[in-house]
Amino acid sequence: MDILFLKKNIFSIFFLSSLLFFQSDRIATEIGDYLKKGEDYYRARDYKNSVIQFKNALTMNPSSKKALLGFAKSSFVAGEKKDAFESYKRILKLDSKNRDASLGLAIYFISLEKFEESLKILNPILESDPYDPDALVALSQIYLKIGKKELALK
């Protein structure tokens, strides 16, 4: 019975398979376009439009780490810190060792003057790479904010 069904419907099955393949390719292209536009707007410091483009990409693929990271960075500088925080947390649920999301979360906590929280995130980054320039800048920001200029300059 199954073979008979396949013989009768082979064209329909082939057509639907092809349609799904081309549809997924079109979606991937659209997501790529949104990501590129989001990155272009970010570099041009048009953070509002950058947020919109990354949000569009996330609508099509809510688990895209690249879209989540772009959305988080753009949201943070656009003043939507809560959205940035949520996005960084989502990335870390998908990839607990994501350095960029961890660093973004540390900077988020620095902006709230939650230095202990930030240090809990920065320390493992610096243990794995003591010369990580972004983590060192974040650490210097903490030292400056707590009045330890001599440590910030090291």
Side-chain angles (χ1 to χ4, degrees):
M1 180 91 153
D2 291 331
I3 294 174
L4 182 61
F5 174 80
L6 285 174
K7 284 182 181 179
K8 286 184 176 182
N9 295 299
I10 193 79
F11 178 73
S12 297
I13 292 169
F14 176 74
F15 177 75
L16 288 173
S17 301
S18 299
L19 187 63
L20 286 173
F21 174 76
F22 290 117
Q23 181 70 4
S24 66
D25 189 46
R26 183 189 63 78
I27 290 171
T29 301
E30 263 186 74
I31 292 171
D33 290 344
Y34 287 132
L35 292 173
K36 183 177 179 338
K37 287 178 187 174
E39 290 166 358
D40 290 345
Y41 281 125
Y42 186 86
R43 278 193 292 280
R45 298 183 179 183
D46 184 350
Y47 303 118
K48 249 185 186 174
N49 281 317
S50 182
V51 167
I52 291 168
Q53 295 303 314
F54 287 118
K55 196 179 284 190
N56 289 339
L58 287 170
T59 300
M60 300 185 88
N61 183 359
S63 298
S64 167
K65 287 187 270 186
K66 190 169 186 175
L68 283 165
L69 188 60
F71 179 75
K73 288 180 176 181
S74 298
S75 295
F76 185 82
V77 292
E80 301 296 329
K81 291 182 181 181
K82 181 81 170 141
D83 289 340
F85 172 77
E86 295 299 329
S87 194
Y88 287 132
K89 294 298 274 184
R90 282 180 57 197
I91 296 167
L92 291 170
K93 280 185 182 176
L94 295 169
D95 177 7
S96 64
K97 297 192 185 305
N98 188 296
R99 176 211 168 269
D100 292 330
S102 295
L103 190 59
L105 200 55
I107 292 168
Y108 166 80
F109 285 126
I110 291 170
S111 76
L112 299 177
E113 297 190 354
K114 293 185 176 184
F115 305 125
E116 290 298 322
E117 291 294 322
S118 184
L119 287 171
K120 287 179 190 174
I121 297 167
L122 289 173
N123 285 334
I125 295 172
L126 289 168
E127 284 173 9
S128 68
D129 181 2
Y131 302 105
D132 184 303
D134 299 319
L136 288 171
V137 168
L139 187 61
S140 292
Q141 287 177 344
I142 293 172
Y143 288 141
L144 285 173
K145 288 190 178 211
I146 62 174
K148 295 190 176 184
K149 290 182 184 177
E150 66 283 349
L151 288 174
L153 296 174
K154 282 189 175 185

